[in-house]
């Protein structure tokens, strides 16, 4: 039983398949569980809601070591706690490949859910969280690197959950979490709102770090930063972690960086 | 966004793997989706809650015909509607075998959730819904029969959802849905409550039908009947669909039928 004091609950669900969404030679089972929790809780936060609960499922071959299943569970619990949520239910069944299913619930705390369709010309584009860290970490893993800050960022995203409800309270006109890449995810806002989003590279770099390539700032996903738009009059009230990275313009839906259209994003690795 | 007027939400999640939990040569994709919805919504009703929403996930090989995926979705929607719930979210990913994940949400409507631990000596055991129909239908499918009332019952369970909240309001001291078999599921209540549940075969037969074997009444699962216990003083208020089938006694946790201990239940078929 999950408290839903608002009287409305937001919910989101994701499936993760071994070899496609995670690799156990690159991430520990605990990391995999942690990340699975994070991506769902970030989705809840991106609706402007406070995460409350996770329900998890595991499809496991009979050959799966029990330590791996326990690692998933430990990671899911730790990832839930990082988002101030609890694991409240689960299911484990046999199957031929490892699949994790995660459903996250959240409470709107009296706010309307923030959609993708409210960005208007003159609003500013804000991002809170990391950009490109996870993608750079994945690149390093592919190159054989097995440790370090960027690799850790790939294994354990740190979405700024509390900023979801806070941006909602501050009047965010659109909000999304960056799962596929900033260009791709802001593209959903641009399309749903019918606007162009012009981003400044120098501002995006504030959310990267050493070792992150410029292109990874907008093409890299899985950091689960929160990205959205806010009416200009609210800019001065933004918390420091919400960085203004661009402007909403009238025009054909598109996302630009320093004036050049950018697209693409995270397509997950193929097994 | 799902209304949760009670301010608390109950939630449950299940995974279904092709070849283990369903077979597409025995059930249509629509039936599979319908049943997946039913089993989760029944679990919500068995907490005494009114089903409100489903979130669904599909792992599908690239070779899966789109009609099959659409059939799952159609069946999930139809099954949700049968439980007066809506499909509010979903995810589709690639994988090597077909897996459905279903999460159901429900609203407690001001009632406390009904647990498994409240059965006390002197309470009566009640069941609402079908017993043994699905098991008999599965037996017929295994024998090559491909149609008929029992086969249909196996393909599309019809849990008495509305009786969950109604039994909660009437003071049910324990409640569960029969997914693994009446003996197995009432066994959970017996264990959690520390009581013996004595059932009468003649009463159980009222919930079977022609073609259902006696043993299937307590060993057959997947009809998702609601089974539980109610203090004797509330018996006269029970709706007609809630059939009194036995009595709660002090004693070592066990379930008996006409005095003989029964165990076992639905172990799903093995791929």
């Amino acid at each position: 039983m999950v408290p839903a004091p608002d009287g409305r609950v937001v919910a989101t669900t994701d499936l993760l398949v071994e070899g496609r969404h995670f690799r156990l030679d690159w991430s520990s089972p605990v990391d995999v569980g942690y990340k699975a929790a994070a991506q769902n809780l970030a989705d809840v936060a991106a609706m402007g809601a406070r995460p409350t609960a996770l329900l998890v499922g595991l499809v496991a071959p009979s050959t799966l070591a029990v330590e791996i299943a326990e690692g998933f569970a430990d990671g899911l619990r730790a990832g839930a706690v990082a988002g101030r949520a609890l694991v409240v239910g689960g299911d484990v069944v046999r199957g031929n490949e490892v699949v994790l299913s995660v459903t996250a619930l959240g409470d709107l705390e009296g706010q309307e859910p923030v959609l993708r369709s409210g960005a208007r010309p003159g609003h500013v584009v804000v991002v809170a969280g990391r950009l490109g860290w996870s993608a750079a970490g994945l690149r390093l893993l592919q190159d054989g690197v097995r440790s370090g800050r960027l690799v850790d960022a790939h294994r354990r995203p740190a979405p700024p959950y509390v900023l979801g409800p806070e941006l909602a309270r501050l009047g965010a006109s659109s909000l999304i979490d960056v799962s596929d890449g900033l260009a791709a995810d802001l593209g959903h806002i641009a399309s749903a709102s019918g606007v162009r989003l012009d981003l400044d590279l120098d501002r995006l770099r504030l959310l990267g770090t050493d070792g992150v390539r410029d292109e990874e700032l907008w093409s890299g996903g899985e950091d689960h930063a929160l990205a959205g738009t806010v009416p200009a009059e609210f800019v001065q009230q933004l918390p420091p972690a919400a960085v203004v990275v661009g402007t909403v313009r009238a025009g054909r839906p598109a996302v630009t960086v320093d004036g050049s259209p950018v697209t693409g994003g995270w397509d997950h690795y193929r097994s």
Side-chain angles (χ1 to χ4, degrees), chain A residues 72-221:
Chain A
F72 290 145
D74 288 347
L76 283 157
R77 273 191 297 267
V81 166
R84 304 188 190 179
L86 284 178
V87 177
V88 298
D91 190 24
V92 179
V93 301
R94 287 257 172 274
N96 294 319
E97 67 185 336
V98 178
V99 179
L100 284 169
S101 74
V102 183
T103 302
L105 309 182
D107 188 72
L108 284 164
E109 300 188 312
Q111 300 293 321
E112 287 309 300
V114 183
L115 307 176
R116 300 175 176 186
S117 52
R120 297 290 173 266
H123 293 188
V124 299
V125 182
V126 300
V127 177
R130 301 167 175 166
L131 290 179
W133 295 44
S134 180
L138 175 61
R139 171 170 47 78
L140 292 172
L141 281 163
Q142 286 166 333
D143 291 345
V145 180
R146 288 292 175 270
S147 65
R149 205 163 51 112
L150 294 173
V151 166
D152 288 348
H154 177 73
R155 290 172 174 154
R156 292 207 179 197
Y161 303 110
V162 295
L163 289 182
E166 188 162 349
L167 289 170
R169 271 191 296 275
L170 289 174
S173 51
S174 68
L175 199 57
I176 201 165
D177 79 295
V178 182
S179 53
D180 294 331
L182 187 66
D185 289 313
L186 283 182
H188 297 311
I189 289 178
S191 295
S193 300
V195 296
R196 197 179 80 217
L197 305 177
D198 289 341
L199 311 182
D200 298 328
L201 178 56
D202 281 346
R203 306 294 297 172
L204 297 181
R205 285 180 178 147
L206 296 174
L207 298 158
T209 190
D210 287 347
V212 173
R213 296 175 181 167
D214 280 348
E215 185 190 286
E216 289 167 341
L217 295 170
W218 64 81
S219 67

Side-chain angles (χ1 to χ4, degrees), chain A residues 28-48:
Chain A
S28 73
V30 176
D31 289 337
V32 169
Y34 191 97
K35 187 170 182 168
Q39 75 178 58
N40 275 270
L41 296 171
D43 202 14
V44 165
M47 300 182 219

Side-chain angles (χ1 to χ4, degrees), chain A residues 59-70:
Chain A
V59 182
S62 57
T63 53
L64 189 79
V66 70
E67 297 78 38
I68 293 179
E70 288 174 351

